[in-house]
Amino acid sequence: MLLGAVYLYAKLKLKTDFRNIIGLGDILMFFFLIFACASISFMVLLPSALIFSLVLHLMLSESKKNTSVPLAGYMGLFFSITFLGFWSGMIDTIYQF
């Protein structure tokens, strides 16, 4: 449903091709999350990763005008930090439900 919304947004609002909006890494990361997380965990981790990516991108590209966001890379960094926190014992559980 989320990929469908992005597809419609690209076609109707941005008037561009879907492949120009989202990369292969983004799609692979999305499918990884679908199969790696329980439903409730997915609904918490995906928005958290997206907010982290947005904040990190805004902080790193203050002076530059980037036209693209390396979303899969930022989300990969978010999940690396999350799993390291879990493995080190700082986070009790990743999969709450």
Side-chain angles (χ1 to χ4, degrees):
M1 191 152 72
L2 182 62
L3 289 176
V6 171
Y7 177 79
L8 288 175
Y9 183 77
K11 285 291 184 189
L12 301 175
K13 179 74 173 166
L14 299 177
K15 309 267 193 260
T16 187
D17 191 28
F18 181 69
R19 287 175 275 161
N20 295 334
I21 300 298
I22 192 165
L24 179 61
D26 301 329
I27 294 172
L28 291 174
M29 180 69 78
F30 181 70
F31 282 116
F32 164 76
L33 289 175
I34 289 172
F35 295 112
C37 301
S39 298
I40 302 297
S41 297
F42 178 77
M43 289 189 289
V44 171
L45 287 174
L46 182 65
S48 300
L50 291 173
I51 291 169
F52 174 83
S53 300
L54 176 65
V55 169
L56 185 62
H57 182 71
L58 291 174
M59 287 176 16
L60 293 178
S61 66
E62 260 182 32
S63 61
K64 296 182 263 181
K65 293 291 181 187
N66 292 338
T67 58
S68 66
V69 177
L71 183 62
Y74 290 154
M75 288 177 71
L77 179 63
F78 172 80
F79 286 109
S80 298
I81 293 169
T82 303
F83 285 123
L84 284 173
F86 174 68
W87 291 328
S88 68
M90 292 171 35
I91 300 173
D92 292 332
T93 181
I94 297 173
Y95 306 110
Q96 192 66 28
F97 300 97

